[in-house]
Amino acid sequence: MLYGAVETGGTKIICGVMDETGELLDILRFPTDTPEYSVEKIAGFFSNHNICAVGIGSFGPVDVNEASDTYGNILDTPKLQWRNYPFLQRLKSKMKIPMVIDTDVNCACIGETEYGAGKGFDNVIYITVGTGIGVGVVVNGRSLKGMLHPEGGHILLRRNPNDIYEGKCPYHKDCFEGLASGPALAGRVGRPAFELDEDNPVWDIEADYIAQAVSNYILTYSPEKIIIGGGVLEQEHLFPIIRNKVKEYLNGYIRTPQLEQIEDYIVPARLKGNQGLYGAYFLAKTLIQKG
Ligand code: ADP
Ligand code: ZN
């Protein structure tokens, strides 16, 4: 059997066709445009393949409650054309096969949990630090949803004493995303984040904010694995600084074998950019197996 997987982001949409073993047989990438155009492109691509279900990892906010009348609708997004757009319904009306939708970061977390750095664990956090910051949460083997879905990129942190940058989040200014996304780094130093040398003092501030957030997730979700990806974490030298600062913030309050072996606990993403697609694939496959 073949399965479809879709990952929609602010700038691009990726569609994949995978077989039972997870082999990626075909892939399409195109820039995110109007919702109707995007739906046409997605449905057009999948019409060339005999797929039995589609899983979607969508940018948020999105209604991920399967029992809701508006399941699969994009909610109050700044992308005006997508606001309140019944994305899942429109795709279903074109393709008439079972579909399932979750957030892009929950899908990324599911992908890493099933096939990547979180394999073998049931409670995993995935953090992406890129243009924005998103946090996916897997609890007891399933992505966490609730009133809406977790929005862990917007938690409030303690300001680093060496940081005077006002923050970039349009809603909260100096939340985690406002202080530590790629654009926040660029706003603080006046240059794109990828141009900065390893010894730039701004990395210490960046690692501090990521470590504070990770400490909060450890205290609230008690994950068995913490995976960090996204463009900014291409800077692998951040990992040892983050791990040391997490130990400092927790200050011995939590003592577990995982924290003793922290280099195996807080780890880079393994599915380099494809985690969302693999998570969406896993959801599609599970949907069929459930019957
Ligand atoms: P997106 O979040 O848009 O899906 P990315 O995860 O690639 O995409 O994140 C893009 C952000 O990451 C940009 O702000 C960019 O400056 C930053 N970035 C990309 N590569 C690097 C790098 N090697 N070092 C530091 N920052 C980077
Ligand atoms: Zn915010």
Side-chain angles (χ1 to χ4, degrees):
M1 269 204 271
L2 300 180
Y3 303 88
V6 181
E7 189 180 3
T8 67
T11 54
K12 63 178 185 300
I13 294 178
I14 311 174
C15 305
V17 174
M18 279 99 138
D19 68 11
E20 206 69 53
T21 67
E23 191 179 344
L24 186 58
L25 303 175
D26 198 4
I27 188 160
L28 173 74
R29 290 190 179 83
F30 60 93
T32 306
D33 202 302
T34 64
E36 282 301 320
Y37 172 83
S38 305
V39 164
E40 288 293 335
K41 286 281 277 191
I42 296 168
F45 171 69
F46 286 131
S47 70
N48 298 322
H49 299 277
N50 189 22
I51 55 169
C52 62
V54 178
I56 304 164
S58 171
F59 64 78
V62 51
D63 186 342
V64 292
N65 176 2
E66 287 162 55
S68 155
D69 289 342
T70 51
Y71 176 50
N73 284 19
I74 307 297
L75 301 173
D76 196 13
T77 167
K79 296 183 237 327
L80 291 179
Q81 288 172 311
W82 285 82
R83 192 173 282 181
N84 298 319
Y85 183 72
F87 185 39
L88 192 71
Q89 240 169 291
R90 296 292 297 140
L91 268 179
K92 266 190 172 167
S93 75
K94 295 223 175 277
M95 295 171 58
K96 302 190 172 49
I97 52 174
M99 293 189 188
V100 52
I101 193 165
D102 205 334
T103 64
D104 45 5
V105 275
N106 265 349
C107 280
C109 194
I110 294 167
E112 285 287 346
T113 303
E114 295 300 326
Y115 310 109
K119 212 169 161 184
F121 296 93
D122 281 339
N123 298 286
V124 176
I125 301 282
Y126 174 81
I127 307 165
T128 176
V129 184
T131 307
I133 297 185
V135 182
V137 183
V138 166
V139 176
N140 297 331
R142 301 188 56 174
S143 68
L144 185 62
K145 303 167 191 173
M147 175 184 71
L148 177 64
H149 42 71
E151 282 286 2
H154 293 265
I155 60 171
L156 305 179
L157 303 174
R158 197 185 283 170
R159 183 169 279 277
N160 181 291
N162 300 321
D163 186 22
I164 54 162
Y165 180 60
E166 61 171 359
K168 213 176 165 65
C169 174
Y171 290 87
H172 321 111
K173 281 221 151 131
D174 59 357
C175 65
F176 181 24
E177 176 175 296
L179 290 170
S181 65
L185 270 165
R188 187 179 283 114
V189 295
R191 263 181 313 141
F194 59 81
E195 285 184 8
L196 303 175
D197 294 335
E198 265 187 48
D199 53 8
N200 193 303
V202 81
W203 292 123
D204 198 63
I205 295 174
E206 178 70 11
D208 179 26
Y209 291 134
I210 296 173
Q212 287 192 45
V214 166
S215 303
N216 286 332
Y217 306 141
I218 291 173
L219 293 164
T220 49
Y221 297 121
S222 203
E224 296 161 306
K225 197 69 116 175
I226 295 166
I227 303 164
I228 321 181
V232 173
L233 270 293
E234 296 284 318
Q235 306 278 336
E236 292 204 352
H237 60 95
L238 287 174
F239 277 91
I241 319 176
I242 294 167
R243 293 179 186 124
N244 283 336
K245 286 183 189 283
V246 166
K247 282 191 159 175
E248 280 172 32
Y249 279 118
L250 294 176
N251 198 24
Y253 182 69
I254 295 179
R255 292 178 189 276
T256 61
Q258 287 88 343
L259 285 166
E260 293 295 321
Q261 289 283 327
I262 199 163
E263 62 283 358
D264 296 329
Y265 181 51
I266 301 172
V267 297
R270 208 175 280 165
L271 302 179
K272 301 296 172 202
N274 275 337
Q275 42 277 100
L277 210 59
Y278 277 98
Y281 158 74
F282 181 79
L283 288 180
K285 210 168 145 177
T286 310
L287 190 65
I288 295 301
Q289 281 164 356
K290 274 195 311 202

